[in-house]
């Protein structure tokens, strides 16, 4: 069983910062991609940032220059440093990974964290 746990959300003022963390544990065979997604009330879930095993990074246009995604392969951990937060960043943030399990190492699946709330006051 693969487990994904994300944390670090909270309440901040506009212009403030937060650092989200995500850990992946369990019967992981290999990790292809890790990323952060978010979903605001009444809106669809959207991509925030992703990073591949090769180090390629992709950001949503709305967060470029403000958010930084990083990965610690040894710990199977993912981070999202969020600076200059805006009210429109308010959402539940979810950690995601595309990985293969030891139960079936030839196929990759998507695994999701439970979500962590980020609220930026207006």
């Amino acid at each position: 069983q693969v487990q994904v746990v994300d944390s670090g959300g909270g309440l901040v003022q506009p212009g403030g910062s937060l650092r989200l963390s995500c850990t992946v544990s369990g019967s992981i065979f290999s990790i292809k991609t890790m990323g952060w997604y978010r979903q605001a009330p009444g809106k669809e879930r959207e991509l925030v940032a992703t990073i591949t095993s090769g180090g390629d990074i992709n950001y949503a246009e709305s967060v470029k220059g403000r958010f930084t995604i990083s990965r610690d392969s040894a710990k199977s951990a993912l981070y999202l440093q969020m600076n200059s937060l805006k009210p429109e960043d308010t959402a539940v943030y979810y950690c995601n990974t595309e990985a293969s399990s030891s139960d079936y190492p030839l196929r990759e699946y998507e695994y999701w964290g439970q979500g962590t709330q980020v609220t930026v006051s207006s």
Side-chain angles (χ1 to χ4, degrees), residues 25-51:
S25 62
S27 56
I28 288 289
F29 183 77
S30 65
I31 296 176
K32 177 184 177 182
T33 306
M34 299 185 76
W36 291 97
Y37 294 74
R38 67 186 182 186
Q39 186 168 23
K43 297 183 178 180
E44 296 182 352
R45 187 175 299 184
E46 65 176 349
L47 182 149
V48 177
T50 60
I51 182 169

Side-chain angles (χ1 to χ4, degrees), residues 33-37 47-52 55-60 69 78 80 96 98:
T33 306
M34 299 185 76
W36 291 97
Y37 294 74
L47 182 149
V48 177
T50 60
I51 182 169
T52 69
D56 294 324
I57 295 174
N58 181 43
Y59 292 104
I69 189 171
L78 182 72
L80 184 68
N96 167 271
E98 296 180 56

Side-chain angles (χ1 to χ4, degrees), residues 2-5 22-26 28 31 34 75-77 95 97 99:
V2 176
Q3 297 175 326
V4 180
V5 179
C22 172
T23 57
V24 181
S25 62
I28 288 289
I31 296 176
M34 299 185 76
K75 298 180 179 180
S76 296
C95 178
T97 183

Side-chain angles (χ1 to χ4, degrees), residues 11-121:
L11 174 63
V12 298
Q13 294 182 343
S17 299
L18 283 174
R19 182 177 174 85
L20 305 184
S21 299
C22 172
T23 57
V24 181
S25 62
S27 56
I28 288 289
F29 183 77
S30 65
I31 296 176
K32 177 184 177 182
T33 306
M34 299 185 76
W36 291 97
Y37 294 74
R38 67 186 182 186
Q39 186 168 23
K43 297 183 178 180
E44 296 182 352
R45 187 175 299 184
E46 65 176 349
L47 182 149
V48 177
T50 60
I51 182 169
T52 69
S53 60
D56 294 324
I57 295 174
N58 181 43
Y59 292 104
E61 187 67 29
S62 60
V63 307
K64 286 183 178 178
R66 300 188 298 119
F67 291 9
T68 302
I69 189 171
S70 60
R71 177 179 178 178
D72 186 336
S73 298
K75 298 180 179 180
S76 296
L78 182 72
Y79 307 95
L80 184 68
Q81 179 64 46
M82 303 185 294
N83 298 325
S84 302
L85 284 163
K86 304 175 181 179
E88 50 263 44
D89 294 319
T90 296
V92 177
Y93 285 69
Y94 298 90
C95 178
N96 167 271
T97 183
E98 296 180 56
S100 61
S101 170
S102 296
D103 296 329
Y104 197 76
L106 298 182
R107 183 175 179 179
E108 296 173 342
Y109 295 86
E110 285 193 350
Y111 300 94
W112 295 87
Q114 79 286 351
T116 183
Q117 177 71 49
V118 172
T119 302
V120 184
S121 64

